[in-house]
Amino acid sequence: MSTYIKADQFYYPHGVRRGGYLELVDGKFGKHVESLPEGADVLDYSGYSIAPGLVDTHIHGFGGVDVMDNNIEGTLHTMSEGLLSTGVTSFLPTTLTSSYEQLLAVTENIGARRLHTVMERLMDKISFSASDMNGQTINIDAAY
């Protein structure tokens, strides 16, 4: 059985779609449709707008933790969980001015976890519009 979100409007990279329904496929956004297929489950968010998450490109800390604590597992987890409640779904942990040794330690810790984030960001653009790209091949290279 399919699940759909009903809302007043849906924000897309190239415009806003008013009304209709947004399909959920394996917990991810699918196609926007004007009418529901028979037997579909509906999550009713009438009165609300659905938009992609916000990206914070410069943040030193959140929820009582600081990037400079250099407890990256705990810090990033706390920041990630807390920032979600504000609509932020991606962020760039940012250091403060400090000694060379401290900055190196913190950036090495962040960098060790960065590859996963880079791959997520690369795939984010594709997954947002994947339902409109049926049968297309996408080359991810330097130009992408």
Side-chain angles (χ1 to χ4, degrees), residues 43-84:
L43 301 173
D44 191 349
Y45 286 93
S46 296
Y48 290 93
S49 299
I50 304 297
L54 303 172
V55 178
D56 191 330
T57 60
H58 186 112
I59 187 165
H60 298 283
F62 187 86
V65 297
D66 189 301
V67 172
M68 294 302 289
D69 293 342
N70 203 19
N71 172 12
I72 299 304
E73 290 295 331
T75 299
L76 293 183
H77 177 76
T78 300
M79 289 176 69
S80 295
E81 292 292 318
L83 288 168
L84 281 174

Side-chain angles (χ1 to χ4, degrees), residues 4 7-8 14 23 27 31 33-35 40 61 63-64 71 121 135 137 144:
Y4 291 82
D8 291 355
H14 303 291
E23 181 182 27
K31 290 190 250 182
V33 297
E34 295 299 323
S35 58
N71 172 12
R121 294 297 300 148
T137 299
Y144 180 82

Side-chain angles (χ1 to χ4, degrees), residues 70-126:
N70 203 19
N71 172 12
I72 299 304
E73 290 295 331
T75 299
L76 293 183
H77 177 76
T78 300
M79 289 176 69
S80 295
E81 292 292 318
L83 288 168
L84 281 174
S85 70
T86 68
V88 174
T89 58
S90 299
F91 65 95
L92 178 61
T94 309
T95 60
L96 297 170
T97 303
S98 188
S99 70
Y100 171 78
E101 293 77 16
Q102 177 69 13
L103 289 172
L104 183 61
V106 171
T107 55
E108 282 180 346
N109 261 335
I110 293 169
R113 287 143 185 93
R114 179 111 170 88
L115 178 59
H116 182 265
T117 303
V118 169
M119 292 306 295
E120 265 185 339
R121 294 297 300 148
L122 282 171
M123 299 309 293
D124 186 51
K125 182 178 177 183
I126 295 168

Side-chain angles (χ1 to χ4, degrees), residues 8-19 32 34 49-51:
D8 291 355
Q9 56 190 5
F10 300 90
Y11 288 88
Y12 285 86
H14 303 291
V16 177
R17 294 184 180 170
R18 301 198 189 286
H32 179 270
E34 295 299 323
S49 299
I50 304 297

